[in-house]
Amino acid sequence: MRIHWSRLRAAPLAAACAGIAGAALAAASFGDLDKDRDGYVSKVEARGDRAVEAAFNAADRNKDGRLDRSEFATIAADAAKHRSGPPASTGAPK
């Protein structure tokens, strides 16, 4: 198997860009889900997104039954981490 060094150098940049895109998506999604514009996503509002609904209880750190932006961001960060996949191989070329 050949390793293309140019691809390995680009991997951190691609991961950083994915993180930025994930953060932007999270901000847009928070605003979309916060229907009553109270600055929180309730369990009822979370039903608008399956991933948020599934992760709601784990993300609700203070257990108040609603997600603030910080708590919501943990869902987006976790999703971005899963999207990036396993780390690239750093072995020497053969």
Side-chain angles (χ1 to χ4, degrees):
M1 177 169 98
R2 284 197 121 156
I3 297 175
H4 297 276
W5 293 103
S6 61
R7 289 185 185 164
L8 290 178
R9 284 190 299 255
L13 177 61
C17 290
I20 292 167
L25 179 61
S29 296
F30 184 92
D32 292 343
L33 291 175
D34 182 17
K35 298 293 185 192
D36 61 6
R37 304 291 185 241
D38 65 350
Y40 298 94
V41 173
S42 69
K43 283 190 175 190
V44 172
E45 291 168 328
R47 291 182 190 149
D49 184 297
R50 286 187 204 175
V52 174
E53 184 178 15
F56 190 96
N57 289 332
D60 184 16
R61 291 184 298 243
N62 61 5
K63 304 301 179 204
D64 64 353
R66 57 190 189 170
L67 302 178
D68 60 26
R69 286 188 181 272
S70 173
E71 292 169 326
F72 187 85
T74 63
I75 296 172
D78 190 47
K81 192 183 334 177
H82 286 44
R83 278 194 308 267
S84 65
S89 171
T90 57
K94 293 183 179 181

